Amino acid sequence: ADLIGGVVRTVTPHALRTADEESEDALWTFSWLLVFTAAWESYAHGANDTGNATGAFTGVYTIFADGLNACSKGETPVWIMAIAGFFVALGICILGYRVITTIGFKLTDINFQRGYCVEFGSTLSVVIATILGLPVSTTHCQVGAVVFVGCAAFGPRHVAWGLFAKIAAAWVLTVPLAAVISGALTAAFRQAVNAQN
């Protein structure tokens, strides 16, 4: 029905169409562009974020399988990437709706056109970082894009700055939290391994 409606609107002479119809056409066009940009975003996420997740595990697995000096190979087995992809999809299905709701609905008002701008800007940023070999977070890029698209579309008053501050605080706090937990586990495992030797 959407496709037929879009074709009918496209062939209707410009002089007979209202501003609302013009706006509706633009949004309809962006809805299709958004599908392709979201697919590109999935590629970028897999190239960078999933690489971040599999890198450390690949290093551990390579040392386990081939010894300490084999880690320089740097090739991740396909089965590790497949498992990582599966768990990315599982995470989206189980808990992803929370982050999707926060970014897509609570920060600012997003429609197809603004969503396209968010997706294109954040994806291009992730792809550039990936080409440069820099690990970045797709989510961080998305949030930044949503905030600035909201500012550009409506002005700064239409962005939920309190929520953005909470998100930014979570970014800052998760780095030392991950460091403390990882360091504590390393120390505990090191003592257990040394005790057996």
Side-chain angles (χ1 to χ4, degrees):
D2 284 343
L3 184 59
I4 294 169
V7 170
V8 169
R9 285 191 303 272
T10 303
V11 297
T12 303
H14 182 72
L16 300 176
R17 296 163 70 192
T18 66
D20 285 344
E21 288 175 326
E22 291 289 326
S23 178
E24 193 176 315
D25 280 351
L27 291 177
W28 183 82
T29 301
F30 278 107
S31 71
W32 286 99
L33 290 173
L34 190 55
V35 170
F36 294 108
T37 309
W40 186 37
E41 174 99 37
S42 297
Y43 167 78
H45 182 80
N48 201 303
D49 290 72
T50 306
N52 297 341
T54 59
F57 182 78
T58 299
V60 171
Y61 172 76
T62 304
I63 289 171
F64 175 77
D66 300 329
L68 286 173
N69 297 324
C71 208
S72 59
K73 288 195 292 190
E75 293 180 19
T76 302
V78 173
W79 67 268
I80 291 177
M81 292 186 286
I83 290 171
F86 169 78
F87 280 104
V88 166
L90 185 65
I92 290 170
C93 292
I94 294 174
L95 289 174
Y97 70 92
R98 293 178 180 205
V99 175
I100 291 167
T101 300
T102 299
I103 296 174
F105 297 104
K106 294 182 179 177
L107 276 173
T108 193
D109 184 37
I110 301 292
N111 63 10
F112 291 130
Q113 178 261 325
R114 291 187 288 277
Y116 171 79
C117 296
V118 166
E119 290 285 335
F120 189 88
S122 62
T123 302
L124 184 59
S125 301
V126 173
V127 168
I128 290 170
T130 304
I131 290 169
L132 297 175
L134 302 172
V136 297
S137 169
T138 303
T139 306
H140 291 63
C141 295
Q142 286 270 335
V143 169
V146 167
V147 166
F148 280 88
V149 163
C151 286
F154 307 111
R157 283 196 248 178
H158 292 275
V159 174
W161 292 106
L163 177 58
F164 177 69
K166 287 180 186 176
I167 293 169
W171 293 341
V172 171
L173 293 174
T174 52
V175 174
L177 178 64
V180 168
I181 293 170
S182 300
L185 287 172
T186 301
F189 292 151
R190 179 189 283 177
Q191 297 225 348
V193 170
N194 288 342
Q196 290 182 354
N197 292 334

